[in-house]
């Protein structure tokens, strides 16, 4: 388990152990043993599946490609989590991501456990035909441990709806006559995917921010004003005034979150900066986000990379370096690119007082401690970016019922679920000295511990 996640889980378990109202049936030595057992369950995966996929490539070479499926915990339901295609993915990374999925599903009361997969390739260097064979082989090697009631993969970095469609088709070939629509989520709509799945993560990311800064604040301003809590004070300082927003990453998550911010009728936002793998674009007056989305869609997802291209597309912005997005004088920073973007070595340069984690683990543990120490609000990954897995759950349900919901119904249900989670966390967050990340973990670990106890797994 990643060191930050592991430390917070351990901290959450210690707090629960000392809370005599939690599982009062467990006393003395039995309580100690049970909590050791809990720590062991949550810090290690249930099962690790590894294979070397043998692929006859189109160029005539035959290669063996390392691949994993890690099943962390299924106390709350079938394992669930994406499959990452990346040249640096490894067993430790996949195990950490699987553990995060267990906790994320527990936090949002999604009836799934946590899993994750990985294939060690750079997908950009393979032909479509080779990728098709890799997807089929992945399912062939792991087909016994996958399935709608066992383990349900989804897209992650380097995979998308095309790969999920291929994988589901292979699962169907291997298991004729068995239900197959729920075997993979993140599929295309024609293959049984859900409306709204593509936008779900970005919309959910923005929702957590808007809900905290607008809906919750308006409703609870009375007690928040007197709470004396540093995070409540930061939130109140940003309420009701124009907010300058920067977004790192302009892919599936970042571009949707930027558009939500641009269109939001409840908050007076200006999206002044967006960035991608090459550049940051900055305009103090606010960027034309719909036009940038249109540009990126026509240019393999990339933003205009210099002034000439910007001008010929009729767009106005200053072109800055890729990392500059992190250090601008803005109120809010959405991180929707990669992990480890704000670290001990650059945290002092970050000026935003509200940070929203669209990506997984973009703020390191050391940087989090510095930022939280000065009252910066961090809406953590486990809370903010769960829209994808929540709508994956809706996709799985629709596959079982073979009834499909409208996009409006999907987003309505997504917000209902995320609002419920926020409401279960914000009173504690604005009323105790802990970070929102710590509050999320306590919540998730409490839920998992109660279920594991009821299932008789703590002895
Ligand atoms: P994506 O591939 O669609 O977009 C990634 C964006 O980041 C692109 O704009 C890319 O140019 C930019 N980028 C790449 N390298 C960069 C660098 N070094 N510096 C700055 N920008 C860089 O990916 P996505 O689906 O938007 O996912 C973004 C992050 O969110 C990932 O970490 C992913 O694991 C996480 N996430 C995604 C989902 C989902 O449903 N898509 C769900 C949960 C978490």
């Amino acid at each position: 388990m990643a060191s930050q996640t592991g430390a917070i889980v351990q901290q959450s378990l210690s707090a629960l152990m000392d809370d005599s109202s939690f599982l009062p049936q467990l006393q003395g030595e039995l309580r100690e043993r049970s909590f050791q057992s809990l720590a062991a369950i949550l810090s290690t995966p249930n099962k690790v599946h590894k294979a070397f996929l043998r692929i006859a490539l189109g160029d005539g070479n035959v290669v063996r490609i390392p691949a994993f499926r890690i099943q962390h915990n299924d106390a709350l339901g079938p394992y669930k989590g994406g499959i990452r295609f990346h040249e640096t993915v490894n067993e430790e990374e996949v195990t950490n991501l699987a553990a995060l999925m267990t906790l994320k599903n527990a936090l949002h009361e999604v009836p799934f456990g946590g899993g994750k997969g990985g294939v060690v390739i750079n997908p950009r260097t393979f032909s479509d035909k080779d990728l098709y064979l890799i997807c089929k082989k992945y399912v062939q090697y792991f087909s016994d441990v996958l399935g709608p009631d066992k383990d349900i993969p989804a897209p992650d970095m380097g995979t998308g709806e095309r790969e999920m469609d291929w994988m589901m088709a292979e699962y169907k070939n291997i298991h004729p006559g068995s239900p197959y629509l729920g075997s993979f989520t993140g599929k295309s709509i024609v293959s049984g995917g859900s409306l709204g799945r593509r936008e779900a993560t970005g919309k959910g990311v923005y929702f957590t921010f808007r809900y905290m800064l607008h809906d919750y604040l308006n409703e609870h301003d009375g007690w928040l004003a007197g709470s004396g809590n540093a995070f409540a004070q930061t939130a109140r300082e940003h309420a009701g005034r124009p907010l300058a927003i920067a977004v790192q990453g302009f892919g599936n998550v970042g571009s949707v979150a930027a558009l939500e911010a641009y269109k939001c009728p409840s908050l007076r936002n200006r999206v002044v900066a967006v960035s991608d793998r090459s550049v940051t674009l900055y305009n103090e007056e606010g960027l034309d986000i719909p036009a940038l989305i249109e540009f990126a869609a026509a240019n393999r997802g990339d933003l205009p990379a210099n002034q000439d291209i910007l001008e010929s597309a009729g767009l106005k912005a200053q072109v800055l370096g890729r990392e500059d997005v992190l250090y601008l004088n803005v109120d809010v920073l959405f991180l929707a690119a990669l992990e480890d973007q704000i670290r001990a070595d650059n945290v002092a340069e970050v000026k935003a007082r509200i940070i929203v984690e669209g990506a997984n683990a973009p703020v390191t543990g050391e940087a989090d401690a510095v930022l939280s120490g000065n009252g910066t609000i961090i809406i953590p990954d486990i809370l903010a970016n769960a829209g994808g897995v929540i709508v994956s759950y809706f996709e799985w349900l629709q596959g079982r019922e073979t009834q499909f919901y409208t996009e409006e119904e999907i987003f309505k249900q997504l917000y209902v679920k995320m609002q419920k989670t926020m409401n279960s966390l914000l009173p504690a967050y604005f009323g105790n000295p802990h970070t929102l990340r710590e509050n999320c973990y306590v919540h998730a670990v409490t839920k998992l511990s109660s279920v594991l106890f009821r299932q008789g797994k703590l002895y």
Side-chain angles (χ1 to χ4, degrees), residues 227-286:
S227 84
N229 174 288
F231 302 120
Q233 199 176 323
T234 305
R236 293 188 72 251
E237 280 164 14
H238 288 78
R241 69 172 174 82
L243 295 175
I245 293 182
V247 183
Q248 185 195 36
F250 204 65
N252 183 16
V253 180
S255 68
V256 173
L259 186 63
E260 290 290 297
Y262 175 89
K263 295 189 313 194
C264 179
S266 320
L267 290 169
R268 291 152 67 201
N269 296 324
R270 256 175 317 130
V271 184
V272 297
V274 296
S275 79
D276 70 359
R277 71 184 77 243
S278 321
V279 287
T280 295
L281 300 181
Y282 178 72
N283 183 338
E284 204 185 345
E285 306 293 311

Side-chain angles (χ1 to χ4, degrees), residues 84 104 156-157 197 201 248-254 275-277 301 322 336-338 341 358-360 385 388:
R84 179 169 287 196
K104 197 180 284 183
D156 195 81
M157 226 180 267
R197 171 65 184 85
T201 305
Q248 185 195 36
F250 204 65
N252 183 16
V253 180
S275 79
D276 70 359
R277 71 184 77 243
R322 177 176 86 181
L338 303 170
Q341 295 304 291
N360 288 319
N385 73 20

